[in-house]
Amino acid sequence: MEFKKLYLMLTMAVILVLAACSGGSEEESTTEDNASEETSTEESAGEETAEDESSEEESADTIAYENQFEIGTGERGAEGQGTQIDETVELPKNSDKVVIFDLGVASTFAALDLEENIMGLPKGENNASLGNTISDVYESDEEYVNLGGLKEPDYEALAALDPEIIMIHGRQSNSNVVGELEKAAPNAEIIHVAADNSNYFEDVKEMTMFIGEMYDVEDKAQELVDDLDAQLAEVNEKVAAADLPMLFVQTNGGNLSFHGVGGRYDFLYNDFGFTSAGEQEESEETTDSHGNEISYEFIAETNPALILLMDRGAAVSEGEATSTDVLVNEVTSGVEAIENDNVYELNPQNWYLNAGGYLTALAQVQEINEAVDGATAE
């Protein structure tokens, strides 16, 4: 009996020991599992944080641009069936590998003291495309490569630059030029930056702010925009008070054309508040980029109090500007603007080749201010 009791006691002790060991293993296993889960969670969280930081860093290095324009089959994208581009493009911030085919926007870079980020631009033969507003800035071929003409770029010179960004105007928005630009600079983003005629000054201001954000000089850009707004408001008041029926006349050799409401210089009426002395024929939908051909009789019939004269021929060639005398003859001798010597010659580069940027827009405002002051002076 005593032997059986001893045997039972030993058996129970072994069972208790085994149970204790088993419990400890389960606790250790649970602890290890919990520790493993915590480690995995921490690693996962760390990976997510790293990915978020990487994404934020990548976002900080680029800026989104809404690239919207039409690639046409003809000159300036005006003829044939075009391809509509509507995309969001990520551009590298603070890039110093920029090529600009919009000379107006080149003036915006200069206004923001960012011209050193431009590699090249189409200066034309003997820098003829550069007006006096930007010629001093970009005349050096060593610093700024001459990329040929506005309509016929030098693609070999462009290829040698290997830019990151190409900014184009309407003059380049046709399939032939865009295609050659893509071949010459396959690593570049091509964006359309031209100001729209119907929203001219707003587009100039928006582009100024965009470039300011792109290069982290937003405060400088805002100062420029505020100054432009102030000068626009001042001139607008003068135009309203003067109440001068105006005729915009473009000369090109011996030809005369007229730009009215809805045309290339629509901002003269929408933003400055001029009343057009002339109207388009009912059969003409809108004035195109070169205006509607007119006669001396048209000028006499409309009898403007102020004529703004822009010589396209002088802008696209190195010839001398057409004198205002071209408008004076027996037919127009009784026109109010001619009788009172209120014919103002506009700078053709600022108005035809270099328009659409900050400095050139500011120059346009100042020219209109001078024209109105001259016409209202006693």
Side-chain angles (χ1 to χ4, degrees):
M1 292 292 292
E2 291 180 1
F3 175 77
K4 288 182 179 180
K5 288 181 180 180
L6 179 60
Y7 176 80
L8 288 172
M9 291 176 64
L10 288 173
T11 300
M12 291 180 64
V14 169
I15 291 172
L16 290 172
V17 170
L18 290 174
C21 290
S22 175
S25 297
E26 289 179 0
E27 289 177 3
E28 288 175 5
S29 175
T30 302
T31 302
E32 289 176 359
D33 289 343
N34 290 339
S36 176
E37 290 178 5
E38 290 176 4
T39 301
S40 176
T41 302
E42 289 175 0
E43 289 177 355
S44 176
E47 289 175 0
E48 290 178 3
T49 302
E51 288 178 2
D52 291 343
E53 290 176 354
S54 175
S55 177
E56 290 175 4
E57 184 178 346
E58 183 178 347
S59 176
D61 290 338
T62 62
I63 183 170
Y65 182 77
E66 298 302 320
N67 197 28
Q68 299 175 337
F69 69 107
E70 183 176 345
I71 301 177
T73 57
E75 184 179 305
R76 294 180 65 87
E79 302 173 8
Q81 185 67 35
T83 300
Q84 185 63 41
I85 303 298
D86 189 351
E87 60 186 359
T88 300
V89 180
E90 290 293 330
L91 303 176
K93 292 192 67 174
N94 300 303
S95 174
D96 60 357
K97 300 186 68 177
V98 180
V99 160
I100 296 188
F101 283 93
D102 187 310
L103 295 176
V105 173
S107 84
T108 305
F109 272 75
L112 291 166
D113 298 321
L114 298 170
E115 63 270 17
E116 69 276 4
N117 295 291
I118 297 177
M119 304 174 77
L121 61 168
K123 295 186 278 189
E125 187 175 354
N126 298 321
N127 292 343
S129 297
L130 302 181
N132 58 8
T133 303
I134 59 174
S135 59
D136 290 344
V137 180
Y138 297 111
E139 61 184 356
S140 171
D141 288 338
E142 294 180 1
E143 296 181 61
Y144 309 100
V145 174
N146 189 346
L147 295 176
L150 290 164
K151 293 181 181 179
E152 297 180 355
D154 185 336
Y155 298 110
E156 290 185 7
L158 174 63
L161 294 177
D162 189 24
E164 294 178 330
I165 302 170
I166 299 176
M167 298 184 173
I168 66 171
H169 184 271
R171 293 181 178 91
Q172 299 86 41
S173 60
N174 64 76
S175 56
N176 290 335
V177 174
V178 171
E180 292 299 323
L181 291 176
E182 291 175 337
K183 291 178 185 177
N187 298 318
E189 293 286 358
I190 299 176
I191 61 172
H192 183 270
V193 295
D196 187 85
N197 298 327
S198 62
N199 200 44
Y200 183 75
F201 284 106
E202 288 303 314
D203 280 1
V204 169
K205 289 185 287 186
E206 286 180 14
M207 181 56 61
T208 301
M209 292 303 300
F210 174 79
I211 295 172
E213 184 180 357
M214 184 176 176
Y215 288 92
D216 299 319
V217 289
E218 293 96 330
D219 291 345
K220 172 72 172 179
Q222 188 63 60
E223 288 177 9
L224 295 179
V225 167
D226 291 344
D227 185 48
L228 180 58
D229 275 334
Q231 294 198 43
L232 267 172
E234 181 181 345
V235 176
N236 188 276
E237 289 181 8
K238 287 185 179 182
V239 171
D243 191 22
L244 297 167
M246 182 273 292
L247 195 69
F248 189 106
V249 178
Q250 175 180 299
T251 62
N252 189 18
N255 298 322
L256 303 177
S257 57
F258 156 66
H259 290 279
V261 176
R264 180 172 187 150
Y265 300 103
D266 188 57
F267 58 88
L268 285 167
Y269 313 102
N270 281 337
D271 294 301
F272 287 112
F274 278 111
T275 299
S276 178
E279 295 182 3
Q280 298 166 173
E281 297 293 332
E282 291 183 2
S283 60
E284 297 173 345
E285 296 180 0
T286 61
T287 56
D288 62 19
S289 60
H290 292 163
N292 298 133
E293 187 174 343
I294 59 172
S295 64
Y296 292 110
E297 285 76 15
F298 178 85
I299 297 175
E301 290 170 5
T302 56
N303 190 30
L306 173 65
I307 294 177
L308 299 177
L309 180 67
M310 195 273 290
D311 186 358
R312 177 182 178 272
V316 298
S317 68
E318 295 185 59
E320 293 183 3
T322 302
S323 169
T324 56
D325 292 342
V326 71
L327 299 181
V328 181
N329 54 43
E330 292 182 0
V331 176
T332 61
S333 59
V335 172
E336 183 180 344
I338 293 174
E339 280 190 324
N340 297 327
D341 198 25
N342 287 337
V343 179
Y344 187 89
E345 294 181 73
L346 300 170
N347 182 300
Q349 274 82 13
N350 286 340
W351 287 80
Y352 190 74
L353 292 182
N354 302 170
Y358 184 84
L359 289 181
T360 49
L362 193 64
Q364 289 173 317
V365 173
Q366 293 165 352
E367 285 190 74
I368 296 302
N369 186 52
E370 291 176 8
V372 175
D373 282 348
T376 56
E378 296 181 359

